[in-house]
Amino acid sequence: MIANQSMDTRTLSDSTLATHLLDELADFVRREQAHQCEAFERLWAKPEADRVLEGRCIVGLEVAGPVGDGIWRLRCAENDACFREGDLVRVHQGNPRNPLLDAVIVTAEDTTVDLKPWSKASLKALQPGLRGLVIDPSWLDLTKMYLDALEAVEKSERGRERVLPLLAGTRRPKLDSVEMDAAMAAAREDGFDEAQAEAVASACASDSCWLVHGPPGTGKTRVLARIATRLVAQGERILVTSFTHRAINNLLEAIAAMGVERRLIARIAPAQDPRLGLPQFESFHGCPLDGCDSGYVVGATPFALRTHRLRDVDFDRVIVDEASQVTLPLAAMAMLAADRYIFAGDDKQLPPVSLTLDPQEAVSMSIFGRLTGNGFDTLLPVTRRLNAELCRWPSETFYLSRLKPHPMAAARRFPGTVPGSGFADALGPEPGLVWMAVPHEGARTCAMEEVTLLADMIAELVRGGVPLREIGVVVPFRRQARLLRLNLRGKLGPHEAIGELVADTVERMQGQEREVVFLSFATSAPDFARSIQRFLFQPQRLNVAVTRARTKVVILASPALADYARRESDDPGAATFVSLLERARRIDVDLPGAATPEC
């Protein structure tokens, strides 16, 4: 009797915990939606010029015409907005509350925007030659989709027995020792190091869940591709999902490169991506894998599971990449599709986007932040990207000094410029981390002082033989990137590889690497810096920015911004920024003429 009473109490406790958790997640969904609605109303109420200056609006657009697969191209004189693929926007003629149509961004370049209208009925609003159009950000009210998924977690057997116990921390995975040994041996034979092989083996052998903690350059994507390859060979149906379309596509391409046949891979999305060389379908139903009795891989966002694209499609395992950006409600939506899960990410890189939580709270609301540290995760501690000098700051700042460079990476040095060039101190083989203290004051979203210097330095590298594809530029604002490209074209002329230079925000650079990375902070106006401090100095963003480089990081920032950050050093983000500058070699830049407050 006592034993039964104890079991009943424990069961009641677990049930109560699960109920509280679901209530917490539902409240989070409702708060986020309410804040999102209010935020967009405030944004749309601002003057058009202010929205453009903030990088939240594109004006002066003209409809060029359709480019295939329901995608339409719009042209503009300049695009300084922060839109990226997958963003939902509304097209209007001056009043964002009265849109011609809502659409999804497919690509957004300096002078063109490709988008796919959200509904076919709105296509009639787009006529080639139509001018004077404006694009503002928009949103979908996904509250019902989220709440329906949470209700399914509560009411379904899979939700009660598989999903909730993991989220509530009352279930721990068990490993199949036979599969563990076999997968470990196979991974070693394939050249994976011990930590990578352990991650592959544990993920394959787990009866419910495993986490792969992959700091920058540690081979997380390759590990996930090896896991998927092994599972497909064993006949498993795998769903690859993430917060972004780019992460899904990158992993699918890695899986194909690892050996899974193209015919066993399907990307499900509303619009085809011409850059993805894999089979793509608007819906799973009717695609070649529908009814397939062998293992396969499907890539889609969790939302596809709640629509006709993947509704009622069951999988054996779900792999969630960039899981540190996936909120618990979104993860629950994906977890309903299978009984076993693999979450890969890094809680020291970008957190989920949240309007109601600060960045650290947002980490705890991510599926990776919730589950990490509970004994069923594997840290990949060896980076094959960062050399010894560049590895030191992120390792000490974010990874308790556990991140180490592989011996082959540790010894690498930047090739440097020709001796005697104007930037030999900054662009020589050493040091690997440099701060160019560029004097300017009053700048907000762009600083021509940094743009001009940056273009000169990049032109010097190109003339010295460094390919543009090995140069990356991380900026907080797209306007700074556009001006850089214009300036660089003037210095290099009709350089055929100019399109290979990636100059964009941290979000665009995540998952990529370059030999040398420039960080241009642009801002020097204290009042503006204060208004965007959580964004500009967010530690996770700084970590991602610095760790894109293999051998050289050059920071361009005004001493005025550094002084502001020192005054705000009680803020963890500002303190992290100051520590980065202090680790770098400072080179004071002597610029002729007075500083310009705005571009």
Side-chain angles (χ1 to χ4, degrees):
M1 177 69 83
I2 293 176
N4 288 338
Q5 182 177 0
S6 175
M7 182 173 294
D8 290 344
T9 301
R10 186 190 67 194
T11 302
L12 178 60
S13 176
D14 289 352
S15 175
T16 302
L17 184 62
T19 299
H20 286 328
L21 175 59
L22 287 174
D23 288 343
E24 174 192 352
L25 299 186
D27 287 344
F28 169 72
V29 168
R30 295 188 184 98
R31 288 198 312 272
E32 284 287 312
Q33 178 58 36
H35 277 70
Q36 189 173 51
C37 180
E38 294 170 3
F40 276 104
E41 285 298 326
R42 289 194 301 269
L43 175 66
W44 295 338
K46 291 182 179 181
E48 189 176 273
D50 289 352
R51 303 200 307 272
V52 171
L53 185 61
E54 293 176 9
R56 306 296 304 278
C57 178
I58 309 174
V59 299
L61 289 146
E62 177 182 353
V63 178
V67 293
D69 192 33
I71 299 170
W72 283 68
R73 176 162 297 165
L74 280 63
R75 292 197 182 97
C76 58
E78 55 187 41
N79 170 20
D80 292 333
C82 56
F83 299 131
R84 51 189 176 134
E85 54 264 37
D87 286 351
L88 186 64
V89 296
R90 53 181 42 186
V91 181
H92 58 91
Q93 293 177 299
N95 181 3
R97 295 184 181 85
N98 184 30
L100 294 175
L101 58 99
D102 286 324
V104 177
I105 294 285
V106 179
T107 60
E109 305 298 340
D110 286 347
T111 58
T112 62
V113 178
D114 289 355
L115 49 80
K116 185 164 187 175
W118 195 250
S119 68
K120 294 181 180 179
S122 61
L123 282 174
K124 60 184 179 181
L126 293 178
Q127 298 296 326
L130 181 63
R131 299 182 178 183
L133 299 180
V134 181
I135 289 181
D136 271 282
S138 186
W139 88 102
L140 280 177
D141 186 350
L142 299 174
T143 304
K144 185 177 187 305
M145 189 177 289
Y146 276 118
L147 296 182
D148 285 350
L150 293 177
E151 183 179 5
V153 169
E154 181 181 25
K155 294 184 176 180
S156 68
E157 180 179 355
R158 175 174 285 163
R160 292 192 305 270
E161 300 298 324
R162 311 291 294 191
V163 179
L164 271 177
L166 276 172
L167 298 185
T170 59
R171 179 188 178 109
R172 296 180 61 81
K174 297 179 181 178
L175 301 181
D176 182 322
S177 59
V178 175
E179 172 61 12
M180 181 82 180
D181 291 344
M184 190 89 172
R188 285 170 175 157
E189 288 180 9
D190 288 343
F192 289 87
D193 65 30
E194 283 302 296
Q196 292 172 334
E198 178 188 318
V200 170
S202 301
C204 290
S206 173
D207 71 338
S208 58
C209 178
W210 201 262
L211 274 66
V212 180
H213 185 184
T218 55
K220 169 179 66 71
T221 301
R222 184 166 173 260
V223 165
L224 293 180
R226 185 66 187 87
I227 292 168
T229 302
R230 182 174 181 84
L231 296 176
V232 168
Q234 295 173 349
E236 289 200 20
R237 301 160 298 170
I238 308 298
L239 173 65
V240 166
T241 191
S242 186
F243 175 70
T244 66
H245 291 284
R246 179 182 287 109
I248 295 170
N249 292 350
N250 287 346
L251 183 49
L252 290 179
E253 288 174 335
I255 291 170
M258 190 66 70
V260 174
E261 297 179 60
R262 292 178 74 259
R263 66 180 182 85
L264 298 178
I265 301 175
R267 177 67 163 101
I268 308 300
Q272 293 206 0
D273 186 340
R275 297 164 297 185
L276 180 64
L278 293 169
Q280 302 177 61
F281 306 93
E282 196 272 338
S283 171
F284 178 82
H285 304 287
C287 90
L289 296 183
D290 190 4
C292 179
D293 57 3
S294 64
Y296 55 76
V297 180
V298 170
T301 65
F303 298 112
L305 295 162
R306 310 300 299 177
T307 72
H308 70 282
R309 305 186 199 287
L310 272 179
R311 185 178 286 120
D312 300 326
V313 179
D314 211 41
F315 296 89
D316 297 299
R317 206 168 316 223
V318 175
I319 297 177
V320 181
D321 198 8
E322 304 294 0
S324 59
Q325 292 185 266
V326 176
T327 63
L328 291 171
L330 188 59
M333 194 181 295
M335 294 168 76
L336 286 167
D339 285 341
R340 290 180 285 180
Y341 322 103
I342 299 165
F343 298 104
D346 180 9
D347 56 340
K348 305 304 180 184
Q349 297 190 60
L350 295 180
V353 176
S354 172
L355 297 174
T356 62
L357 304 175
D358 66 35
Q360 194 51 49
E361 291 172 333
V363 170
S364 300
M365 185 54 74
S366 75
I367 184 65
F368 199 88
R370 176 62 67 103
L371 298 182
T372 191
N374 289 323
F376 47 93
D377 55 358
T378 302
L379 171 69
L380 307 180
V382 179
T383 176
R384 288 160 172 77
R385 176 186 304 161
L386 305 168
N387 70 8
E389 182 181 357
L390 293 188
C391 183
R392 198 169 297 122
W393 180 77
S395 181
E396 294 173 1
T397 305
F398 298 101
Y399 302 106
L400 303 175
S401 298
R402 296 177 66 187
L403 183 64
K404 304 294 182 183
H406 187 275
M408 294 292 290
R412 285 200 300 258
R413 294 292 181 272
F414 186 64
T417 59
V418 178
S421 70
F423 300 108
D425 289 344
L427 300 179
E430 293 180 339
L433 183 59
V434 175
W435 170 28
M436 304 294 288
V438 187
H440 60 83
E441 296 182 357
R444 295 164 69 86
T445 60
C446 67
M448 281 307 301
E449 295 85 355
E450 292 183 26
V451 168
T452 303
L453 179 62
L454 187 50
D456 286 339
M457 298 177 81
I458 292 175
E460 179 77 18
L461 289 177
V462 172
R463 286 191 290 267
V466 179
L468 279 170
R469 65 177 178 274
E470 287 296 344
I471 302 172
V473 182
V474 179
V475 294
F477 312 104
R478 187 172 184 136
R479 189 179 190 190
Q480 185 87 340
R482 182 180 61 81
L483 291 171
L484 168 63
R485 283 188 287 267
L486 288 173
N487 202 294
L488 194 57
R489 287 189 183 100
K491 296 181 184 299
L492 293 179
H495 198 288
E496 61 180 9
I498 194 72
E500 294 181 353
L501 174 71
V502 174
D504 216 317
T505 61
V506 164
E507 289 81 3
R508 174 77 181 272
M509 285 294 292
Q510 186 169 25
Q512 301 189 52
E513 63 180 72
R514 297 292 187 274
E515 196 66 34
V516 54
V517 171
F518 294 89
L519 314 183
S520 177
F521 282 86
T523 301
S524 58
D527 58 336
F528 185 69
R530 184 174 294 109
S531 70
I532 62 167
Q533 185 166 309
R534 284 175 52 181
F535 160 77
L536 192 64
F537 297 147
Q538 187 185 102
Q540 295 97 327
R541 297 176 67 86
L542 295 175
N543 183 30
V544 173
V546 169
T547 56
R548 300 310 93 195
R550 301 189 198 101
T551 58
K552 172 73 74 171
V553 171
V554 181
I555 303 165
L556 290 84
S558 167
L561 182 64
D563 291 342
Y564 169 80
R566 291 189 184 97
R567 293 194 299 271
E568 299 289 321
S569 58
D570 288 343
D571 174 76
T576 302
F577 176 68
V578 170
S579 76
L580 174 61
L581 295 184
E582 290 176 345
R583 184 63 62 90
R585 177 189 290 180
R586 174 171 175 163
I587 298 177
D588 289 301
V589 179
D590 185 15
L591 293 177
T596 55
E598 191 56 84
C599 301

